Amino acid sequence: MEHPFNDTYFMKKALQEAEAAFEKGEIPVGAVVVVNDRVIARAHNLTELLNDVTAHAEMQAITAASNFLGGKYLHNCTLYVTLEPCQMCAGALYWSQISKIVYGARDEKRGCGVMGTKLHPKTKIKGGILAEEASILMKRFFIEKRNMN
């Protein structure tokens, strides 16, 4: 029997967060931080609500996970995020020393891979988990946004 807690399982949790962002009119990016098969932080974009360009899902998740753990380093933690982290978030993830990043859809314009942003040498990265679902949600958001204007 397949282990119930796998990348797809946790990415679905991140997608639920992205849906919450979508419902609030935020760019639909969601994230969860997991340690020992337990979600310790959930977050989504809050840039509009907080009027803060740094309030990306990853940044919110890093803060929540650090508060939960009582320290600034996210050793043995995995971040699941629906969109490849941007340069800013990748920098914060570097400093958090997170062990693993798993993302859904690639960000062809602003993703850390395209920008050449370095991650911590010990951080593993894996992409493409539920990428289609994440992309569809993102496209739907921008189509609706365009049609409102």
Side-chain angles (χ1 to χ4, degrees):
M1 188 173 116
E2 186 181 348
H3 194 280
F5 300 121
N6 58 27
D7 289 343
T8 302
Y9 175 86
F10 290 116
M11 189 60 75
K12 284 180 183 175
K13 301 287 183 199
L15 279 165
Q16 290 171 353
E17 289 296 319
E19 289 278 355
F22 185 97
E23 296 302 319
K24 293 177 180 173
E26 298 277 357
I27 294 174
V29 178
V32 297
V33 177
V34 175
V35 64
N36 298 327
D37 289 336
R38 179 177 176 204
V39 175
I40 62 165
R42 299 172 181 271
H44 53 268
N45 271 2
L46 292 172
T47 59
E48 300 299 325
L49 184 72
L50 298 178
N51 200 27
D52 179 355
V53 296
T54 69
H56 289 194
E58 299 96 322
M59 302 296 273
Q60 303 297 312
I62 291 167
T63 300
S66 295
N67 288 338
F68 179 89
L69 295 171
K72 62 185 176 180
Y73 297 119
L74 301 181
H75 299 145
N76 304 313
C77 293
T78 300
L79 171 77
Y80 291 87
V81 61
T82 57
L83 185 66
E84 178 184 9
C86 72
Q87 198 167 359
M88 173 186 70
C89 293
L93 289 160
Y94 177 100
W95 290 110
S96 78
Q97 297 181 18
I98 194 153
S99 297
K100 187 175 181 185
I101 300 166
V102 179
Y103 67 85
R106 293 232 28 223
D107 185 340
E108 300 292 340
K109 293 181 182 169
R110 295 179 193 89
C112 60
V114 174
M115 302 296 281
T117 309
K118 299 279 183 234
L119 294 169
H120 193 274
K122 292 181 181 172
T123 300
K124 294 179 178 78
I125 189 163
K126 179 179 181 180
I129 305 300
L130 299 182
E132 190 173 343
E133 291 85 338
S135 289
I136 288 168
L137 184 61
M138 193 69 75
K139 287 174 186 159
R140 198 173 99 217
F141 176 81
F142 284 109
I143 287 168
E144 287 185 20
K145 205 71 159 162
R146 266 196 304 275
N147 290 339
M148 289 172 62
N149 295 333

mmCIF file of all heavy atoms in Angstrom, residues 47-83:
data_model
loop_
_atom_site.group_PDB
_atom_site.id
_atom_site.type_symbol
_atom_site.label_atom_id
_atom_site.label_comp_id
_atom_site.label_asym_id
_atom_site.label_seq_id
_atom_site.Cartn_x
_atom_site.Cartn_y
_atom_site.Cartn_z
ATOM 1 N N THR A 47 -0.925 39.707 -0.228
ATOM 2 C CA THR A 47 -0.347 40.996 -0.621
ATOM 3 C C THR A 47 -1.389 42.100 -0.727
ATOM 4 O O THR A 47 -1.111 43.243 -0.364
ATOM 5 C CB THR A 47 0.433 40.882 -1.943
ATOM 6 O OG1 THR A 47 -0.443 40.420 -2.960
ATOM 7 C CG2 THR A 47 1.613 39.949 -1.816
ATOM 8 N N GLU A 48 -2.571 41.781 -1.232
ATOM 9 C CA GLU A 48 -3.631 42.786 -1.364
ATOM 10 C C GLU A 48 -4.231 43.124 0.000
ATOM 11 O O GLU A 48 -4.366 44.289 0.360
ATOM 12 C CB GLU A 48 -4.729 42.296 -2.317
ATOM 13 C CG GLU A 48 -4.254 41.999 -3.731
ATOM 14 C CD GLU A 48 -3.675 43.215 -4.443
ATOM 15 O OE1 GLU A 48 -4.160 44.354 -4.226
ATOM 16 O OE2 GLU A 48 -2.726 43.029 -5.234
ATOM 17 N N LEU A 49 -4.588 42.106 0.752
ATOM 18 C CA LEU A 49 -5.218 42.304 2.060
ATOM 19 C C LEU A 49 -4.312 43.090 3.006
ATOM 20 O O LEU A 49 -4.757 44.003 3.699
ATOM 21 C CB LEU A 49 -5.570 40.946 2.682
ATOM 22 C CG LEU A 49 -6.321 41.009 4.009
ATOM 23 C CD1 LEU A 49 -7.756 41.478 3.798
ATOM 24 C CD2 LEU A 49 -6.317 39.643 4.674
ATOM 25 N N LEU A 50 -3.037 42.740 3.032
ATOM 26 C CA LEU A 50 -2.089 43.394 3.938
ATOM 27 C C LEU A 50 -1.423 44.616 3.314
ATOM 28 O O LEU A 50 -0.671 45.317 3.993
ATOM 29 C CB LEU A 50 -1.017 42.394 4.390
ATOM 30 C CG LEU A 50 -1.519 41.184 5.185
ATOM 31 C CD1 LEU A 50 -0.363 40.259 5.534
ATOM 32 C CD2 LEU A 50 -2.271 41.616 6.432
ATOM 33 N N ASN A 51 -1.688 44.844 2.016
ATOM 34 C CA ASN A 51 -1.053 45.950 1.296
ATOM 35 C C ASN A 51 0.465 45.885 1.463
ATOM 36 O O ASN A 51 1.121 46.851 1.820
ATOM 37 C CB ASN A 51 -1.610 47.295 1.777
ATOM 38 C CG ASN A 51 -1.365 48.402 0.777
ATOM 39 O OD1 ASN A 51 -1.252 48.154 -0.420
ATOM 40 N ND2 ASN A 51 -1.282 49.629 1.260
ATOM 41 N N ASP A 52 1.001 44.682 1.222
ATOM 42 C CA ASP A 52 2.408 44.391 1.486
ATOM 43 C C ASP A 52 2.946 43.493 0.369
ATOM 44 O O ASP A 52 2.522 42.344 0.242
ATOM 45 C CB ASP A 52 2.509 43.686 2.842
ATOM 46 C CG ASP A 52 3.933 43.299 3.228
ATOM 47 O OD1 ASP A 52 4.874 43.488 2.414
ATOM 48 O OD2 ASP A 52 4.101 42.787 4.345
ATOM 49 N N VAL A 53 3.868 44.005 -0.416
ATOM 50 C CA VAL A 53 4.407 43.234 -1.541
ATOM 51 C C VAL A 53 5.197 42.010 -1.095
ATOM 52 O O VAL A 53 5.431 41.105 -1.893
ATOM 53 C CB VAL A 53 5.297 44.099 -2.475
ATOM 54 C CG1 VAL A 53 4.478 45.193 -3.138
ATOM 55 C CG2 VAL A 53 6.498 44.663 -1.739
ATOM 56 N N THR A 54 5.589 41.952 0.166
ATOM 57 C CA THR A 54 6.349 40.793 0.657
ATOM 58 C C THR A 54 5.458 39.697 1.234
ATOM 59 O O THR A 54 5.969 38.664 1.670
ATOM 60 C CB THR A 54 7.375 41.208 1.742
ATOM 61 O OG1 THR A 54 6.681 41.614 2.920
ATOM 62 C CG2 THR A 54 8.294 42.308 1.252
ATOM 63 N N ALA A 55 4.150 39.876 1.229
ATOM 64 C CA ALA A 55 3.240 38.924 1.879
ATOM 65 C C ALA A 55 2.897 37.742 0.968
ATOM 66 O O ALA A 55 1.748 37.330 0.864
ATOM 67 C CB ALA A 55 1.979 39.633 2.354
ATOM 68 N N HIS A 56 3.920 37.186 0.327
ATOM 69 C CA HIS A 56 3.736 35.996 -0.507
ATOM 70 C C HIS A 56 3.450 34.790 0.383
ATOM 71 O O HIS A 56 3.819 34.768 1.560
ATOM 72 C CB HIS A 56 4.989 35.724 -1.338
ATOM 73 C CG HIS A 56 5.214 36.703 -2.427
ATOM 74 N ND1 HIS A 56 6.106 36.470 -3.450
ATOM 75 C CD2 HIS A 56 4.667 37.920 -2.686
ATOM 76 C CE1 HIS A 56 6.103 37.497 -4.283
ATOM 77 N NE2 HIS A 56 5.244 38.395 -3.836
ATOM 78 N N ALA A 57 2.841 33.782 -0.208
ATOM 79 C CA ALA A 57 2.489 32.561 0.535
ATOM 80 C C ALA A 57 3.707 31.966 1.236
ATOM 81 O O ALA A 57 3.633 31.565 2.407
ATOM 82 C CB ALA A 57 1.867 31.539 -0.414
ATOM 83 N N GLU A 58 4.829 31.902 0.527
ATOM 84 C CA GLU A 58 6.039 31.306 1.107
ATOM 85 C C GLU A 58 6.523 32.086 2.319
ATOM 86 O O GLU A 58 6.929 31.500 3.320
ATOM 87 C CB GLU A 58 7.175 31.261 0.070
ATOM 88 C CG GLU A 58 6.866 30.442 -1.150
ATOM 89 C CD GLU A 58 6.346 31.267 -2.317
ATOM 90 O OE1 GLU A 58 5.572 32.226 -2.080
ATOM 91 O OE2 GLU A 58 6.691 30.949 -3.459
ATOM 92 N N MET A 59 6.489 33.410 2.222
ATOM 93 C CA MET A 59 6.958 34.252 3.330
ATOM 94 C C MET A 59 6.068 34.053 4.559
ATOM 95 O O MET A 59 6.567 33.941 5.686
ATOM 96 C CB MET A 59 6.962 35.725 2.914
ATOM 97 C CG MET A 59 7.821 36.011 1.689
ATOM 98 S SD MET A 59 9.570 35.701 1.941
ATOM 99 C CE MET A 59 10.058 37.268 2.618
ATOM 100 N N GLN A 60 4.761 33.987 4.326
ATOM 101 C CA GLN A 60 3.813 33.755 5.419
ATOM 102 C C GLN A 60 4.060 32.376 6.044
ATOM 103 O O GLN A 60 4.012 32.213 7.262
ATOM 104 C CB GLN A 60 2.372 33.844 4.904
ATOM 105 C CG GLN A 60 2.003 35.155 4.238
ATOM 106 C CD GLN A 60 2.076 36.340 5.180
ATOM 107 O OE1 GLN A 60 1.562 36.303 6.286
ATOM 108 N NE2 GLN A 60 2.757 37.380 4.756
ATOM 109 N N ALA A 61 4.318 31.390 5.191
ATOM 110 C CA ALA A 61 4.543 30.018 5.669
ATOM 111 C C ALA A 61 5.844 29.908 6.465
ATOM 112 O O ALA A 61 5.886 29.212 7.493
ATOM 113 C CB ALA A 61 4.560 29.046 4.489
ATOM 114 N N ILE A 62 6.892 30.579 6.012
ATOM 115 C CA ILE A 62 8.173 30.571 6.737
ATOM 116 C C ILE A 62 7.974 31.128 8.143
ATOM 117 O O ILE A 62 8.423 30.541 9.135
ATOM 118 C CB ILE A 62 9.253 31.393 5.984
ATOM 119 C CG1 ILE A 62 9.666 30.694 4.697
ATOM 120 C CG2 ILE A 62 10.461 31.652 6.885
ATOM 121 C CD1 ILE A 62 10.478 31.584 3.747
ATOM 122 N N THR A 63 7.289 32.259 8.234
ATOM 123 C CA THR A 63 7.057 32.895 9.532
ATOM 124 C C THR A 63 6.235 31.988 10.450
ATOM 125 O O THR A 63 6.582 31.791 11.624
ATOM 126 C CB THR A 63 6.354 34.252 9.347
ATOM 127 O OG1 THR A 63 7.202 35.088 8.550
ATOM 128 C CG2 THR A 63 6.080 34.931 10.683
ATOM 129 N N ALA A 64 5.160 31.420 9.908
ATOM 130 C CA ALA A 64 4.304 30.543 10.721
ATOM 131 C C ALA A 64 5.061 29.302 11.187
ATOM 132 O O ALA A 64 4.948 28.896 12.353
ATOM 133 C CB ALA A 64 3.059 30.153 9.927
ATOM 134 N N ALA A 65 5.846 28.709 10.299
ATOM 135 C CA ALA A 65 6.612 27.507 10.659
ATOM 136 C C ALA A 65 7.679 27.835 11.706
ATOM 137 O O ALA A 65 7.880 27.075 12.659
ATOM 138 C CB ALA A 65 7.247 26.883 9.423
ATOM 139 N N SER A 66 8.355 28.958 11.542
ATOM 140 C CA SER A 66 9.377 29.374 12.511
ATOM 141 C C SER A 66 8.759 29.607 13.876
ATOM 142 O O SER A 66 9.328 29.211 14.903
ATOM 143 C CB SER A 66 10.082 30.647 12.031
ATOM 144 O OG SER A 66 10.796 30.383 10.851
ATOM 145 N N ASN A 67 7.584 30.242 13.895
ATOM 146 C CA ASN A 67 6.884 30.461 15.166
ATOM 147 C C ASN A 67 6.508 29.130 15.802
ATOM 148 O O ASN A 67 6.671 28.955 17.012
ATOM 149 C CB ASN A 67 5.638 31.321 14.956
ATOM 150 C CG ASN A 67 5.984 32.768 14.674
ATOM 151 O OD1 ASN A 67 7.071 33.242 15.010
ATOM 152 N ND2 ASN A 67 5.069 33.475 14.052
ATOM 153 N N PHE A 68 6.013 28.198 14.992
ATOM 154 C CA PHE A 68 5.630 26.881 15.507
ATOM 155 C C PHE A 68 6.834 26.156 16.109
ATOM 156 O O PHE A 68 6.745 25.574 17.192
ATOM 157 C CB PHE A 68 5.008 26.036 14.396
ATOM 158 C CG PHE A 68 4.615 24.655 14.842
ATOM 159 C CD1 PHE A 68 3.355 24.414 15.367
ATOM 160 C CD2 PHE A 68 5.511 23.594 14.763
ATOM 161 C CE1 PHE A 68 2.992 23.150 15.807
ATOM 162 C CE2 PHE A 68 5.164 22.315 15.200
ATOM 163 C CZ PHE A 68 3.897 22.101 15.725
ATOM 164 N N LEU A 69 7.958 26.202 15.401
ATOM 165 C CA LEU A 69 9.159 25.482 15.836
ATOM 166 C C LEU A 69 9.937 26.218 16.924
ATOM 167 O O LEU A 69 10.771 25.618 17.605
ATOM 168 C CB LEU A 69 10.079 25.219 14.636
ATOM 169 C CG LEU A 69 9.517 24.278 13.573
ATOM 170 C CD1 LEU A 69 10.412 24.284 12.343
ATOM 171 C CD2 LEU A 69 9.355 22.867 14.134
ATOM 172 N N GLY A 70 9.695 27.516 17.047
ATOM 173 C CA GLY A 70 10.408 28.292 18.047
ATOM 174 C C GLY A 70 11.842 28.600 17.654
ATOM 175 O O GLY A 70 12.697 28.784 18.511
ATOM 176 N N GLY A 71 12.102 28.659 16.360
ATOM 177 C CA GLY A 71 13.444 28.982 15.867
ATOM 178 C C GLY A 71 13.388 29.402 14.416
ATOM 179 O O GLY A 71 12.391 29.170 13.731
ATOM 180 N N LYS A 72 14.464 30.017 13.946
ATOM 181 C CA LYS A 72 14.457 30.568 12.589
ATOM 182 C C LYS A 72 14.817 29.567 11.496
ATOM 183 O O LYS A 72 14.595 29.835 10.321
ATOM 184 C CB LYS A 72 15.384 31.774 12.508
ATOM 185 C CG LYS A 72 16.844 31.467 12.802
ATOM 186 C CD LYS A 72 17.671 32.741 12.807
ATOM 187 C CE LYS A 72 19.108 32.443 13.186
ATOM 188 N NZ LYS A 72 19.905 33.657 13.200
ATOM 189 N N TYR A 73 15.373 28.431 11.843
ATOM 190 C CA TYR A 73 15.778 27.457 10.830
ATOM 191 C C TYR A 73 14.723 26.378 10.642
ATOM 192 O O TYR A 73 14.144 25.888 11.614
ATOM 193 C CB TYR A 73 17.127 26.827 11.190
ATOM 194 C CG TYR A 73 18.237 27.852 11.214
ATOM 195 C CD1 TYR A 73 18.955 28.100 12.376
ATOM 196 C CD2 TYR A 73 18.546 28.591 10.073
ATOM 197 C CE1 TYR A 73 19.962 29.052 12.401
ATOM 198 C CE2 TYR A 73 19.549 29.552 10.090
ATOM 199 C CZ TYR A 73 20.248 29.777 11.253
ATOM 200 O OH TYR A 73 21.232 30.718 11.269
ATOM 201 N N LEU A 74 14.501 26.031 9.395
ATOM 202 C CA LEU A 74 13.486 25.033 9.049
ATOM 203 C C LEU A 74 14.148 23.732 8.605
ATOM 204 O O LEU A 74 13.832 23.166 7.571
ATOM 205 C CB LEU A 74 12.553 25.586 7.963
ATOM 206 C CG LEU A 74 11.812 26.877 8.323
ATOM 207 C CD1 LEU A 74 10.901 27.305 7.192
ATOM 208 C CD2 LEU A 74 11.043 26.730 9.627
ATOM 209 N N HIS A 75 15.083 23.263 9.441
ATOM 210 C CA HIS A 75 15.746 21.986 9.162
ATOM 211 C C HIS A 75 14.704 20.866 9.223
ATOM 212 O O HIS A 75 13.789 20.917 10.043
ATOM 213 C CB HIS A 75 16.856 21.715 10.181
ATOM 214 C CG HIS A 75 17.931 22.763 10.168
ATOM 215 N ND1 HIS A 75 18.577 23.155 11.301
ATOM 216 C CD2 HIS A 75 18.457 23.501 9.158
ATOM 217 C CE1 HIS A 75 19.470 24.088 10.994
ATOM 218 N NE2 HIS A 75 19.403 24.321 9.702
ATOM 219 N N ASN A 76 14.855 19.882 8.374
ATOM 220 C CA ASN A 76 13.951 18.725 8.307
ATOM 221 C C ASN A 76 12.530 19.090 7.894
ATOM 222 O O ASN A 76 11.610 18.313 8.094
ATOM 223 C CB ASN A 76 13.933 17.950 9.630
ATOM 224 C CG ASN A 76 15.317 17.510 10.030
ATOM 225 O OD1 ASN A 76 16.064 16.968 9.221
ATOM 226 N ND2 ASN A 76 15.680 17.766 11.273
ATOM 227 N N CYS A 77 12.340 20.271 7.348
ATOM 228 C CA CYS A 77 11.023 20.720 6.892
ATOM 229 C C CYS A 77 10.968 20.722 5.370
ATOM 230 O O CYS A 77 11.982 20.912 4.697
ATOM 231 C CB CYS A 77 10.735 22.139 7.376
ATOM 232 S SG CYS A 77 10.528 22.285 9.164
ATOM 233 N N THR A 78 9.760 20.523 4.854
ATOM 234 C CA THR A 78 9.507 20.620 3.415
ATOM 235 C C THR A 78 8.439 21.669 3.189
ATOM 236 O O THR A 78 7.394 21.657 3.850
ATOM 237 C CB THR A 78 9.028 19.269 2.841
ATOM 238 O OG1 THR A 78 10.035 18.284 3.075
ATOM 239 C CG2 THR A 78 8.756 19.363 1.350
ATOM 240 N N LEU A 79 8.706 22.577 2.261
ATOM 241 C CA LEU A 79 7.719 23.557 1.820
ATOM 242 C C LEU A 79 7.050 23.023 0.570
ATOM 243 O O LEU A 79 7.737 22.663 -0.395
ATOM 244 C CB LEU A 79 8.385 24.893 1.495
ATOM 245 C CG LEU A 79 7.453 25.909 0.813
ATOM 246 C CD1 LEU A 79 6.517 26.535 1.835
ATOM 247 C CD2 LEU A 79 8.247 26.973 0.090
ATOM 248 N N TYR A 80 5.737 22.951 0.583
ATOM 249 C CA TYR A 80 4.944 22.636 -0.603
ATOM 250 C C TYR A 80 4.288 23.933 -1.024
ATOM 251 O O TYR A 80 3.585 24.563 -0.226
ATOM 252 C CB TYR A 80 3.880 21.579 -0.296
ATOM 253 C CG TYR A 80 4.474 20.226 -0.020
ATOM 254 C CD1 TYR A 80 4.885 19.871 1.256
ATOM 255 C CD2 TYR A 80 4.644 19.308 -1.051
ATOM 256 C CE1 TYR A 80 5.459 18.639 1.506
ATOM 257 C CE2 TYR A 80 5.221 18.067 -0.806
ATOM 258 C CZ TYR A 80 5.622 17.745 0.469
ATOM 259 O OH TYR A 80 6.198 16.519 0.709
ATOM 260 N N VAL A 81 4.537 24.349 -2.256
ATOM 261 C CA VAL A 81 3.985 25.612 -2.744
ATOM 262 C C VAL A 81 3.490 25.400 -4.173
ATOM 263 O O VAL A 81 4.112 24.689 -4.954
ATOM 264 C CB VAL A 81 5.036 26.759 -2.631
ATOM 265 C CG1 VAL A 81 6.277 26.478 -3.459
ATOM 266 C CG2 VAL A 81 4.421 28.102 -2.966
ATOM 267 N N THR A 82 2.367 26.009 -4.495
ATOM 268 C CA THR A 82 1.706 25.741 -5.775
ATOM 269 C C THR A 82 2.426 26.353 -6.967
ATOM 270 O O THR A 82 2.227 25.913 -8.091
ATOM 271 C CB THR A 82 0.243 26.233 -5.746
ATOM 272 O OG1 THR A 82 0.217 27.625 -5.420
ATOM 273 C CG2 THR A 82 -0.556 25.437 -4.719
ATOM 274 N N LEU A 83 3.248 27.370 -6.735
ATOM 275 C CA LEU A 83 3.988 28.036 -7.810
ATOM 276 C C LEU A 83 5.463 28.107 -7.421
ATOM 277 O O LEU A 83 5.790 28.371 -6.257
ATOM 278 C CB LEU A 83 3.440 29.453 -8.023
ATOM 279 C CG LEU A 83 4.014 30.259 -9.178
ATOM 280 C CD1 LEU A 83 3.640 29.642 -10.527
ATOM 281 C CD2 LEU A 83 3.530 31.710 -9.116
#
